[in-house]
Amino acid sequence: MFSDKTIERLIIYKFLLEKYKANNIKNVFSHQIAEMAGSTPSQVRRDLMSVGYTGNQKNGYNIKELNISIEKFLHPAQNINIILVGVGNLGKAILNYFSDLSSKYKIAASFDVDKNIIGEYIFCSKCYSIDDLDKIVIENNVKTGFITVPLSSAQEVADKLVSAGIKGIINFAPVRIKVPENVYVENIDFSITVEKVNFFAFKNI
Amino acid sequence: MFSDKTIERLIIYKFLLEKYKANNIKNVFSHQIAEMAGSTPSQVRRDLMSVGYTGNQKNGYNIKELNISIEKFLHPAQNINIILVGVGNLGKAILNYFSDLSSKYKIAASFDVDKNIIGEYIFCSKCYSIDDLDKIVIENNVKTGFITVPLSSAQEVADKLVSAGIKGIINFAPVRIKVPENVYVENIDFSITVEKVNFFAFKNI
DNA sequence: GAATGTGAACTGTTTCACAGCC
DNA sequence: GGCTGTGAAACAGTTCACATTC
């Protein structure tokens, strides 16, 4: 029903509007949103049809109301807990990124096999043994998790996340993990990204 | 002419075939590639039309030859140098990721403003002042760069990369950097990714 | 006049289906 | 039989264009 791409753009609009709101501007037109988001006015209007908020021809969209509508459409909850498995360099970088307490999204817990860090707080999140996964996922109503473990254990970790009830996975391991149909996976593979960008970079010379 | 999506899948096929090749298997059918890549047989055959290599009906595709054809199509060069600007947590994680010397892609240099690390080697790449950017980009024929600096300096860094001759940028800063038309940008924004995955995670309950 | 909302047209991508081949 | 290569069909996503509203 709702395409991946539309959802992604709505999230972008939301972040842009939040910044915009800061300077006491009340209303915004589709062409202004498009300009900021690198999109087109009709695309913006199309996307906004999904969320059900309608503007008007004189003032465009009321930023505050539009933002609330997008928020509600994307997810009604106030705070979202996520988890992260694999506290290596990349895991730490992501924990750091989300340690900003003002965000709606919080990494409720991290997991690793290294006994030296289990029990420690790393960037505001406590690190646990993977044995505690089920308990923490249920307690914190977690539906989304990062996989930042090495290739060799990625599938195993994915299986554990799925069996704990996780429905969305952001996977950084360079492998296509196999999950049931009702689990959404977003792969971020640095090698593939570099190769793709490099292809278009050389094409653009 | 060649779509983003086709290029990305070709890269995935290439990585999969490399693994496959290891076990002395010589040939592969489109349905096998599809199975590994999470695609469909017709999609695979369609994609392979772009690279110009044709298999045969008895044995499918010769893995070695197909791999060479994809490589040639994606990029003829043997070694590709890339650079990275912003040696924080995330920058280090990426430097670490690409420090594996067997990869075709090497981070030729990193850049940062921190005088304490300028001149040091971090995961096999020497860290330089941004003042040395132009020189290093030219010397190493670099066309692709990572931006892993904070939001506040992302646009400034992007401008410098562009003026140094970079044609492809992988941007981790949560902002839509503005670049000329002939520069390809791939944005990786953890907040947007989390929000998107979380949306589909809750939809899938 | 300049904006929104949206049916219709268009463009891009994926899948189907089948001729040709082994 | 089962495979590839590929026109044609189907589907998805984007843009156009205009009636309507302010």
PDB file of all heavy atoms in Angstrom, chain A residues 4 8 14 37 74 89 96 144 146 176 182 184 186 195-196 198-199 204, chain B residues 4 8 14 37 74 89 96 144 176 182 184 186 195-196 198-199 204:
ATOM      1  N   ASP A   4       7.902   2.093   0.050  1.00  0.00           N
ATOM      2  CA  ASP A   4       9.196   2.373   0.617  1.00  0.00           C
ATOM      3  C   ASP A   4       9.687   3.798   0.369  1.00  0.00           C
ATOM      4  O   ASP A   4      10.097   4.504   1.276  1.00  0.00           O
ATOM      5  CB  ASP A   4      10.143   1.429  -0.122  1.00  0.00           C
ATOM      6  CG  ASP A   4      11.200   0.869   0.757  1.00  0.00           C
ATOM      7  OD1 ASP A   4      10.956  -0.165   1.374  1.00  0.00           O
ATOM      8  OD2 ASP A   4      12.266   1.518   0.809  1.00  0.00           O
ATOM      9  N   GLU A   8      10.145   6.972   2.978  1.00  0.00           N
ATOM     10  CA  GLU A   8      11.457   7.600   3.171  1.00  0.00           C
ATOM     11  C   GLU A   8      11.377   9.107   2.965  1.00  0.00           C
ATOM     12  O   GLU A   8      11.938   9.884   3.731  1.00  0.00           O
ATOM     13  CB  GLU A   8      12.466   6.971   2.207  1.00  0.00           C
ATOM     14  CG  GLU A   8      13.901   7.173   2.653  1.00  0.00           C
ATOM     15  CD  GLU A   8      14.864   6.290   1.901  1.00  0.00           C
ATOM     16  OE1 GLU A   8      14.568   5.082   1.700  1.00  0.00           O
ATOM     17  OE2 GLU A   8      15.928   6.804   1.497  1.00  0.00           O
ATOM     18  N   LYS A  14       9.679  15.437   7.276  1.00  0.00           N
ATOM     19  CA  LYS A  14       9.465  15.651   8.703  1.00  0.00           C
ATOM     20  C   LYS A  14      10.698  16.295   9.351  1.00  0.00           C
ATOM     21  O   LYS A  14      10.581  17.286  10.072  1.00  0.00           O
ATOM     22  CB  LYS A  14       9.146  14.322   9.386  1.00  0.00           C
ATOM     23  CG  LYS A  14       8.547  14.473  10.756  1.00  0.00           C
ATOM     24  CD  LYS A  14       8.647  13.182  11.534  1.00  0.00           C
ATOM     25  CE  LYS A  14      10.094  12.876  11.871  1.00  0.00           C
ATOM     26  NZ  LYS A  14      10.253  11.674  12.692  1.00  0.00           N
ATOM     27  N   ALA A  37      14.039  19.334  -0.017  1.00  0.00           N
ATOM     28  CA  ALA A  37      14.219  17.880  -0.017  1.00  0.00           C
ATOM     29  C   ALA A  37      14.815  17.357  -1.320  1.00  0.00           C
ATOM     30  O   ALA A  37      15.068  16.169  -1.452  1.00  0.00           O
ATOM     31  CB  ALA A  37      12.884  17.192   0.244  1.00  0.00           C
ATOM     32  N   LEU A  74       3.444   8.048  10.552  1.00  0.00           N
ATOM     33  CA  LEU A  74       4.633   7.197  10.595  1.00  0.00           C
ATOM     34  C   LEU A  74       4.630   6.281  11.800  1.00  0.00           C
ATOM     35  O   LEU A  74       4.904   5.098  11.694  1.00  0.00           O
ATOM     36  CB  LEU A  74       5.907   8.051  10.611  1.00  0.00           C
ATOM     37  CG  LEU A  74       6.232   8.778   9.307  1.00  0.00           C
ATOM     38  CD1 LEU A  74       7.425   9.683   9.510  1.00  0.00           C
ATOM     39  CD2 LEU A  74       6.511   7.782   8.185  1.00  0.00           C
ATOM     40  N   ASN A  89      33.747  -1.355  16.371  1.00  0.00           N
ATOM     41  CA  ASN A  89      33.920   0.043  15.944  1.00  0.00           C
ATOM     42  C   ASN A  89      32.629   0.657  15.414  1.00  0.00           C
ATOM     43  O   ASN A  89      32.226   1.739  15.823  1.00  0.00           O
ATOM     44  CB  ASN A  89      34.957   0.118  14.822  1.00  0.00           C
ATOM     45  CG  ASN A  89      36.361   0.227  15.364  1.00  0.00           C
ATOM     46  OD1 ASN A  89      36.691   1.224  15.991  1.00  0.00           O
ATOM     47  ND2 ASN A  89      37.160  -0.793  15.160  1.00  0.00           N
ATOM     48  N   ASN A  96      26.968   5.903  19.690  1.00  0.00           N
ATOM     49  CA  ASN A  96      27.291   7.318  19.883  1.00  0.00           C
ATOM     50  C   ASN A  96      26.273   8.201  19.170  1.00  0.00           C
ATOM     51  O   ASN A  96      25.739   9.145  19.750  1.00  0.00           O
ATOM     52  CB  ASN A  96      28.700   7.582  19.350  1.00  0.00           C
ATOM     53  CG  ASN A  96      29.136   9.012  19.580  1.00  0.00           C
ATOM     54  OD1 ASN A  96      28.651   9.678  20.484  1.00  0.00           O
ATOM     55  ND2 ASN A  96      30.058   9.478  18.753  1.00  0.00           N
ATOM     56  N   THR A 144      12.778  -3.210  16.499  1.00  0.00           N
ATOM     57  CA  THR A 144      13.803  -2.889  15.497  1.00  0.00           C
ATOM     58  C   THR A 144      15.207  -3.061  16.083  1.00  0.00           C
ATOM     59  O   THR A 144      15.453  -2.644  17.214  1.00  0.00           O
ATOM     60  CB  THR A 144      13.621  -1.432  15.039  1.00  0.00           C
ATOM     61  OG1 THR A 144      12.298  -1.269  14.527  1.00  0.00           O
ATOM     62  CG2 THR A 144      14.623  -1.071  13.955  1.00  0.00           C
ATOM     63  N   PHE A 146      19.685  -3.272  15.186  1.00  0.00           N
ATOM     64  CA  PHE A 146      20.865  -3.179  14.323  1.00  0.00           C
ATOM     65  C   PHE A 146      21.684  -4.460  14.434  1.00  0.00           C
ATOM     66  O   PHE A 146      21.897  -4.966  15.537  1.00  0.00           O
ATOM     67  CB  PHE A 146      21.779  -2.044  14.805  1.00  0.00           C
ATOM     68  CG  PHE A 146      21.333  -0.671  14.430  1.00  0.00           C
ATOM     69  CD1 PHE A 146      20.696   0.139  15.367  1.00  0.00           C
ATOM     70  CD2 PHE A 146      21.577  -0.160  13.165  1.00  0.00           C
ATOM     71  CE1 PHE A 146      20.308   1.438  15.040  1.00  0.00           C
ATOM     72  CE2 PHE A 146      21.195   1.135  12.839  1.00  0.00           C
ATOM     73  CZ  PHE A 146      20.564   1.936  13.774  1.00  0.00           C
ATOM     74  N   ARG A 176      23.381 -11.408   2.737  1.00  0.00           N
ATOM     75  CA  ARG A 176      21.923 -11.317   2.688  1.00  0.00           C
ATOM     76  C   ARG A 176      21.346 -12.259   3.731  1.00  0.00           C
ATOM     77  O   ARG A 176      21.225 -13.451   3.489  1.00  0.00           O
ATOM     78  CB  ARG A 176      21.405 -11.734   1.314  1.00  0.00           C
ATOM     79  CG  ARG A 176      21.698 -10.762   0.220  1.00  0.00           C
ATOM     80  CD  ARG A 176      20.544 -10.708  -0.767  1.00  0.00           C
ATOM     81  NE  ARG A 176      20.367  -9.330  -1.196  1.00  0.00           N
ATOM     82  CZ  ARG A 176      19.238  -8.675  -1.106  1.00  0.00           C
ATOM     83  NH1 ARG A 176      18.164  -9.241  -0.582  1.00  0.00           N
ATOM     84  NH2 ARG A 176      19.155  -7.437  -1.512  1.00  0.00           N
ATOM     85  N   ASN A 182       7.618 -11.588   7.042  1.00  0.00           N
ATOM     86  CA  ASN A 182       7.063 -10.452   7.773  1.00  0.00           C
ATOM     87  C   ASN A 182       8.112  -9.661   8.551  1.00  0.00           C
ATOM     88  O   ASN A 182       7.780  -8.855   9.412  1.00  0.00           O
ATOM     89  CB  ASN A 182       5.936 -10.917   8.702  1.00  0.00           C
ATOM     90  CG  ASN A 182       6.477 -11.756   9.857  1.00  0.00           C
ATOM     91  OD1 ASN A 182       7.574 -12.300   9.762  1.00  0.00           O
ATOM     92  ND2 ASN A 182       5.728 -11.838  10.930  1.00  0.00           N
ATOM     93  N   TYR A 184      11.170  -6.987   8.058  1.00  0.00           N
ATOM     94  CA  TYR A 184      11.708  -6.033   7.087  1.00  0.00           C
ATOM     95  C   TYR A 184      13.206  -5.856   7.322  1.00  0.00           C
ATOM     96  O   TYR A 184      13.630  -5.573   8.440  1.00  0.00           O
ATOM     97  CB  TYR A 184      10.990  -4.697   7.249  1.00  0.00           C
ATOM     98  CG  TYR A 184      11.379  -3.651   6.224  1.00  0.00           C
ATOM     99  CD1 TYR A 184      10.708  -3.550   5.006  1.00  0.00           C
ATOM    100  CD2 TYR A 184      12.414  -2.757   6.471  1.00  0.00           C
ATOM    101  CE1 TYR A 184      11.056  -2.603   4.071  1.00  0.00           C
ATOM    102  CE2 TYR A 184      12.769  -1.795   5.528  1.00  0.00           C
ATOM    103  CZ  TYR A 184      12.085  -1.731   4.338  1.00  0.00           C
ATOM    104  OH  TYR A 184      12.427  -0.791   3.410  1.00  0.00           O
ATOM    105  N   GLU A 186      16.764  -3.903   6.076  1.00  0.00           N
ATOM    106  CA  GLU A 186      17.467  -2.891   5.288  1.00  0.00           C
ATOM    107  C   GLU A 186      18.954  -3.212   5.393  1.00  0.00           C
ATOM    108  O   GLU A 186      19.512  -3.261   6.494  1.00  0.00           O
ATOM    109  CB  GLU A 186      17.173  -1.498   5.867  1.00  0.00           C
ATOM    110  CG  GLU A 186      17.860  -0.375   5.160  1.00  0.00           C
ATOM    111  CD  GLU A 186      17.002   0.259   4.060  1.00  0.00           C
ATOM    112  OE1 GLU A 186      15.824  -0.137   3.887  1.00  0.00           O
ATOM    113  OE2 GLU A 186      17.518   1.160   3.389  1.00  0.00           O
ATOM    114  N   GLU A 195      31.197   0.620  -4.278  1.00  0.00           N
ATOM    115  CA  GLU A 195      31.327   0.182  -5.664  1.00  0.00           C
ATOM    116  C   GLU A 195      30.276   0.869  -6.544  1.00  0.00           C
ATOM    117  O   GLU A 195      30.563   1.292  -7.666  1.00  0.00           O
ATOM    118  CB  GLU A 195      31.197  -1.341  -5.739  1.00  0.00           C
ATOM    119  CG  GLU A 195      31.567  -1.874  -7.084  1.00  0.00           C
ATOM    120  CD  GLU A 195      32.403  -3.148  -7.038  1.00  0.00           C
ATOM    121  OE1 GLU A 195      32.829  -3.576  -5.953  1.00  0.00           O
ATOM    122  OE2 GLU A 195      32.644  -3.706  -8.123  1.00  0.00           O
ATOM    123  N   LYS A 196      29.100   1.003  -6.008  1.00  0.00           N
ATOM    124  CA  LYS A 196      28.033   1.660  -6.770  1.00  0.00           C
ATOM    125  C   LYS A 196      28.350   3.143  -6.997  1.00  0.00           C
ATOM    126  O   LYS A 196      28.279   3.633  -8.135  1.00  0.00           O
ATOM    127  CB  LYS A 196      26.712   1.528  -6.007  1.00  0.00           C
ATOM    128  CG  LYS A 196      25.521   2.091  -6.740  1.00  0.00           C
ATOM    129  CD  LYS A 196      24.225   1.744  -6.015  1.00  0.00           C
ATOM    130  CE  LYS A 196      23.535   2.972  -5.488  1.00  0.00           C
ATOM    131  NZ  LYS A 196      22.338   2.662  -4.693  1.00  0.00           N
ATOM    132  N   ASN A 198      31.175   4.574  -6.864  1.00  0.00           N
ATOM    133  CA  ASN A 198      32.346   4.692  -7.710  1.00  0.00           C
ATOM    134  C   ASN A 198      32.003   4.497  -9.187  1.00  0.00           C
ATOM    135  O   ASN A 198      32.529   5.195 -10.056  1.00  0.00           O
ATOM    136  CB  ASN A 198      33.396   3.678  -7.275  1.00  0.00           C
ATOM    137  CG  ASN A 198      34.745   4.014  -7.831  1.00  0.00           C
ATOM    138  OD1 ASN A 198      35.354   5.003  -7.447  1.00  0.00           O
ATOM    139  ND2 ASN A 198      35.205   3.206  -8.769  1.00  0.00           N
ATOM    140  N   PHE A 199      31.095   3.580  -9.452  1.00  0.00           N
ATOM    141  CA  PHE A 199      30.645   3.364 -10.837  1.00  0.00           C
ATOM    142  C   PHE A 199      30.086   4.645 -11.426  1.00  0.00           C
ATOM    143  O   PHE A 199      30.481   5.078 -12.511  1.00  0.00           O
ATOM    144  CB  PHE A 199      29.584   2.257 -10.871  1.00  0.00           C
ATOM    145  CG  PHE A 199      28.967   2.057 -12.228  1.00  0.00           C
ATOM    146  CD1 PHE A 199      29.591   1.275 -13.181  1.00  0.00           C
ATOM    147  CD2 PHE A 199      27.761   2.667 -12.551  1.00  0.00           C
ATOM    148  CE1 PHE A 199      29.031   1.082 -14.430  1.00  0.00           C
ATOM    149  CE2 PHE A 199      27.195   2.485 -13.812  1.00  0.00           C
ATOM    150  CZ  PHE A 199      27.832   1.701 -14.753  1.00  0.00           C
ATOM    151  N   ASN A 204      30.534   9.739 -14.543  1.00  0.00           N
ATOM    152  CA  ASN A 204      30.251  11.174 -14.584  1.00  0.00           C
ATOM    153  C   ASN A 204      31.433  12.041 -14.981  1.00  0.00           C
ATOM    154  O   ASN A 204      31.340  13.265 -14.959  1.00  0.00           O
ATOM    155  CB  ASN A 204      29.751  11.642 -13.212  1.00  0.00           C
ATOM    156  CG  ASN A 204      28.313  11.232 -12.977  1.00  0.00           C
ATOM    157  OD1 ASN A 204      27.614  10.843 -13.905  1.00  0.00           O
ATOM    158  ND2 ASN A 204      27.877  11.317 -11.736  1.00  0.00           N
TER     159      ASN A 204
ATOM    160  N   ASP B   4      20.392   2.603 -11.483  1.00  0.00           N
ATOM    161  CA  ASP B   4      20.865   2.432 -10.131  1.00  0.00           C
ATOM    162  C   ASP B   4      20.641   1.025  -9.579  1.00  0.00           C
ATOM    163  O   ASP B   4      21.529   0.398  -9.042  1.00  0.00           O
ATOM    164  CB  ASP B   4      19.987   3.391  -9.311  1.00  0.00           C
ATOM    165  CG  ASP B   4      20.737   4.031  -8.206  1.00  0.00           C
ATOM    166  OD1 ASP B   4      21.336   5.085  -8.453  1.00  0.00           O
ATOM    167  OD2 ASP B   4      20.710   3.460  -7.101  1.00  0.00           O
ATOM    168  N   GLU B   8      23.345  -1.946  -8.680  1.00  0.00           N
ATOM    169  CA  GLU B   8      23.462  -2.478  -7.321  1.00  0.00           C
ATOM    170  C   GLU B   8      23.341  -4.004  -7.320  1.00  0.00           C
ATOM    171  O   GLU B   8      24.111  -4.691  -6.651  1.00  0.00           O
ATOM    172  CB  GLU B   8      22.382  -1.846  -6.434  1.00  0.00           C
ATOM    173  CG  GLU B   8      22.726  -1.953  -4.968  1.00  0.00           C
ATOM    174  CD  GLU B   8      21.848  -1.069  -4.115  1.00  0.00           C
ATOM    175  OE1 GLU B   8      21.567   0.080  -4.509  1.00  0.00           O
ATOM    176  OE2 GLU B   8      21.434  -1.547  -3.036  1.00  0.00           O
ATOM    177  N   LYS B  14      28.116 -10.142  -8.249  1.00  0.00           N
ATOM    178  CA  LYS B  14      29.558 -10.294  -8.337  1.00  0.00           C
ATOM    179  C   LYS B  14      30.136 -10.819  -7.020  1.00  0.00           C
ATOM    180  O   LYS B  14      30.917 -11.772  -7.016  1.00  0.00           O
ATOM    181  CB  LYS B  14      30.198  -8.945  -8.685  1.00  0.00           C
ATOM    182  CG  LYS B  14      31.612  -9.042  -9.170  1.00  0.00           C
ATOM    183  CD  LYS B  14      32.311  -7.697  -9.094  1.00  0.00           C
ATOM    184  CE  LYS B  14      32.527  -7.297  -7.657  1.00  0.00           C
ATOM    185  NZ  LYS B  14      33.245  -6.025  -7.509  1.00  0.00           N
ATOM    186  N   ALA B  37      20.725 -14.184  -4.224  1.00  0.00           N
ATOM    187  CA  ALA B  37      20.636 -12.720  -4.143  1.00  0.00           C
ATOM    188  C   ALA B  37      19.272 -12.242  -3.669  1.00  0.00           C
ATOM    189  O   ALA B  37      19.049 -11.051  -3.504  1.00  0.00           O
ATOM    190  CB  ALA B  37      20.962 -12.111  -5.502  1.00  0.00           C
ATOM    191  N   LEU B  74      31.499  -2.964 -14.672  1.00  0.00           N
ATOM    192  CA  LEU B  74      31.400  -2.034 -13.537  1.00  0.00           C
ATOM    193  C   LEU B  74      32.553  -1.054 -13.504  1.00  0.00           C
ATOM    194  O   LEU B  74      32.367   0.133 -13.312  1.00  0.00           O
ATOM    195  CB  LEU B  74      31.356  -2.811 -12.218  1.00  0.00           C
ATOM    196  CG  LEU B  74      30.076  -3.590 -11.949  1.00  0.00           C
ATOM    197  CD1 LEU B  74      30.225  -4.407 -10.667  1.00  0.00           C
ATOM    198  CD2 LEU B  74      28.878  -2.664 -11.849  1.00  0.00           C
ATOM    199  N   ASN B  89      34.203   8.517  15.375  1.00  0.00           N
ATOM    200  CA  ASN B  89      33.845   7.113  15.601  1.00  0.00           C
ATOM    201  C   ASN B  89      33.464   6.408  14.315  1.00  0.00           C
ATOM    202  O   ASN B  89      33.946   5.319  14.023  1.00  0.00           O
ATOM    203  CB  ASN B  89      32.649   7.034  16.556  1.00  0.00           C
ATOM    204  CG  ASN B  89      33.084   7.020  17.997  1.00  0.00           C
ATOM    205  OD1 ASN B  89      33.717   6.079  18.445  1.00  0.00           O
ATOM    206  ND2 ASN B  89      32.772   8.076  18.713  1.00  0.00           N
ATOM    207  N   ASN B  96      38.468   1.111   9.345  1.00  0.00           N
ATOM    208  CA  ASN B  96      38.729  -0.260   9.772  1.00  0.00           C
ATOM    209  C   ASN B  96      38.159  -1.245   8.756  1.00  0.00           C
ATOM    210  O   ASN B  96      38.836  -2.183   8.330  1.00  0.00           O
ATOM    211  CB  ASN B  96      38.088  -0.478  11.142  1.00  0.00           C
ATOM    212  CG  ASN B  96      38.352  -1.871  11.701  1.00  0.00           C
ATOM    213  OD1 ASN B  96      39.345  -2.516  11.338  1.00  0.00           O
ATOM    214  ND2 ASN B  96      37.482  -2.332  12.573  1.00  0.00           N
ATOM    215  N   THR B 144      35.999   9.178  -5.580  1.00  0.00           N
ATOM    216  CA  THR B 144      34.930   8.859  -4.627  1.00  0.00           C
ATOM    217  C   THR B 144      35.379   9.142  -3.199  1.00  0.00           C
ATOM    218  O   THR B 144      36.502   8.799  -2.823  1.00  0.00           O
ATOM    219  CB  THR B 144      34.561   7.361  -4.746  1.00  0.00           C
ATOM    220  OG1 THR B 144      34.180   7.092  -6.085  1.00  0.00           O
ATOM    221  CG2 THR B 144      33.422   6.992  -3.808  1.00  0.00           C
ATOM    222  N   ARG B 176      20.957  17.131   3.348  1.00  0.00           N
ATOM    223  CA  ARG B 176      21.040  16.951   1.894  1.00  0.00           C
ATOM    224  C   ARG B 176      22.055  17.920   1.348  1.00  0.00           C
ATOM    225  O   ARG B 176      21.757  19.091   1.134  1.00  0.00           O
ATOM    226  CB  ARG B 176      19.679  17.252   1.251  1.00  0.00           C
ATOM    227  CG  ARG B 176      18.645  16.220   1.480  1.00  0.00           C
ATOM    228  CD  ARG B 176      17.736  16.060   0.272  1.00  0.00           C
ATOM    229  NE  ARG B 176      17.410  14.664   0.102  1.00  0.00           N
ATOM    230  CZ  ARG B 176      17.665  13.944  -0.981  1.00  0.00           C
ATOM    231  NH1 ARG B 176      18.260  14.496  -2.025  1.00  0.00           N
ATOM    232  NH2 ARG B 176      17.338  12.678  -1.052  1.00  0.00           N
ATOM    233  N   ASN B 182      26.541  16.652 -12.002  1.00  0.00           N
ATOM    234  CA  ASN B 182      27.379  15.523 -12.428  1.00  0.00           C
ATOM    235  C   ASN B 182      28.112  14.849 -11.264  1.00  0.00           C
ATOM    236  O   ASN B 182      29.029  14.074 -11.473  1.00  0.00           O
ATOM    237  CB  ASN B 182      28.383  15.987 -13.491  1.00  0.00           C
ATOM    238  CG  ASN B 182      29.427  16.919 -12.908  1.00  0.00           C
ATOM    239  OD1 ASN B 182      29.215  17.520 -11.853  1.00  0.00           O
ATOM    240  ND2 ASN B 182      30.543  17.027 -13.582  1.00  0.00           N
ATOM    241  N   TYR B 184      27.532  12.323  -8.095  1.00  0.00           N
ATOM    242  CA  TYR B 184      26.569  11.352  -7.584  1.00  0.00           C
ATOM    243  C   TYR B 184      26.692  11.269  -6.068  1.00  0.00           C
ATOM    244  O   TYR B 184      27.780  11.087  -5.538  1.00  0.00           O
ATOM    245  CB  TYR B 184      26.859   9.986  -8.205  1.00  0.00           C
ATOM    246  CG  TYR B 184      25.868   8.910  -7.849  1.00  0.00           C
ATOM    247  CD1 TYR B 184      24.731   8.690  -8.616  1.00  0.00           C
ATOM    248  CD2 TYR B 184      26.068   8.096  -6.724  1.00  0.00           C
ATOM    249  CE1 TYR B 184      23.828   7.701  -8.297  1.00  0.00           C
ATOM    250  CE2 TYR B 184      25.161   7.098  -6.399  1.00  0.00           C
ATOM    251  CZ  TYR B 184      24.044   6.915  -7.187  1.00  0.00           C
ATOM    252  OH  TYR B 184      23.149   5.922  -6.860  1.00  0.00           O
ATOM    253  N   GLU B 186      25.263   9.451  -2.502  1.00  0.00           N
ATOM    254  CA  GLU B 186      24.465   8.436  -1.807  1.00  0.00           C
ATOM    255  C   GLU B 186      24.442   8.843  -0.342  1.00  0.00           C
ATOM    256  O   GLU B 186      25.485   9.002   0.295  1.00  0.00           O
ATOM    257  CB  GLU B 186      25.129   7.065  -1.970  1.00  0.00           C
ATOM    258  CG  GLU B 186      24.427   5.953  -1.268  1.00  0.00           C
ATOM    259  CD  GLU B 186      23.448   5.191  -2.168  1.00  0.00           C
ATOM    260  OE1 GLU B 186      23.350   5.500  -3.376  1.00  0.00           O
ATOM    261  OE2 GLU B 186      22.784   4.281  -1.637  1.00  0.00           O
ATOM    262  N   GLU B 195      14.002   5.129  11.307  1.00  0.00           N
ATOM    263  CA  GLU B 195      12.592   5.482  11.292  1.00  0.00           C
ATOM    264  C   GLU B 195      11.846   4.684  10.219  1.00  0.00           C
ATOM    265  O   GLU B 195      10.738   4.216  10.442  1.00  0.00           O
ATOM    266  CB  GLU B 195      12.437   6.991  11.072  1.00  0.00           C
ATOM    267  CG  GLU B 195      11.030   7.454  11.291  1.00  0.00           C
ATOM    268  CD  GLU B 195      10.934   8.772  12.062  1.00  0.00           C
ATOM    269  OE1 GLU B 195      11.968   9.289  12.547  1.00  0.00           O
ATOM    270  OE2 GLU B 195       9.811   9.279  12.188  1.00  0.00           O
ATOM    271  N   LYS B 196      12.473   4.522   9.086  1.00  0.00           N
ATOM    272  CA  LYS B 196      11.855   3.753   8.006  1.00  0.00           C
ATOM    273  C   LYS B 196      11.682   2.289   8.404  1.00  0.00           C
ATOM    274  O   LYS B 196      10.595   1.714   8.273  1.00  0.00           O
ATOM    275  CB  LYS B 196      12.711   3.853   6.737  1.00  0.00           C
ATOM    276  CG  LYS B 196      12.135   3.160   5.542  1.00  0.00           C
ATOM    277  CD  LYS B 196      12.925   3.494   4.280  1.00  0.00           C
ATOM    278  CE  LYS B 196      13.572   2.265   3.710  1.00  0.00           C
ATOM    279  NZ  LYS B 196      14.463   2.541   2.581  1.00  0.00           N
ATOM    280  N   ASN B 198      11.663   1.023  11.304  1.00  0.00           N
ATOM    281  CA  ASN B 198      10.726   0.917  12.411  1.00  0.00           C
ATOM    282  C   ASN B 198       9.277   1.001  11.926  1.00  0.00           C
ATOM    283  O   ASN B 198       8.403   0.300  12.419  1.00  0.00           O
ATOM    284  CB  ASN B 198      11.002   2.020  13.423  1.00  0.00           C
ATOM    285  CG  ASN B 198      10.368   1.708  14.749  1.00  0.00           C
ATOM    286  OD1 ASN B 198      10.752   0.768  15.441  1.00  0.00           O
ATOM    287  ND2 ASN B 198       9.353   2.476  15.096  1.00  0.00           N
ATOM    288  N   PHE B 199       9.039   1.854  10.952  1.00  0.00           N
ATOM    289  CA  PHE B 199       7.688   1.954  10.386  1.00  0.00           C
ATOM    290  C   PHE B 199       7.229   0.606   9.851  1.00  0.00           C
ATOM    291  O   PHE B 199       6.135   0.135  10.178  1.00  0.00           O
ATOM    292  CB  PHE B 199       7.675   2.984   9.254  1.00  0.00           C
ATOM    293  CG  PHE B 199       6.361   3.056   8.518  1.00  0.00           C
ATOM    294  CD1 PHE B 199       5.309   3.812   9.014  1.00  0.00           C
ATOM    295  CD2 PHE B 199       6.178   2.359   7.333  1.00  0.00           C
ATOM    296  CE1 PHE B 199       4.094   3.867   8.342  1.00  0.00           C
ATOM    297  CE2 PHE B 199       4.965   2.410   6.662  1.00  0.00           C
ATOM    298  CZ  PHE B 199       3.921   3.170   7.165  1.00  0.00           C
ATOM    299  N   ASN B 204       4.367  -4.651  10.372  1.00  0.00           N
ATOM    300  CA  ASN B 204       4.426  -6.100  10.162  1.00  0.00           C
ATOM    301  C   ASN B 204       3.990  -6.925  11.370  1.00  0.00           C
ATOM    302  O   ASN B 204       4.087  -8.143  11.348  1.00  0.00           O
ATOM    303  CB  ASN B 204       5.861  -6.509   9.799  1.00  0.00           C
ATOM    304  CG  ASN B 204       6.185  -6.170   8.363  1.00  0.00           C
ATOM    305  OD1 ASN B 204       5.295  -5.872   7.577  1.00  0.00           O
ATOM    306  ND2 ASN B 204       7.455  -6.218   8.023  1.00  0.00           N
TER     307      ASN B 204
END
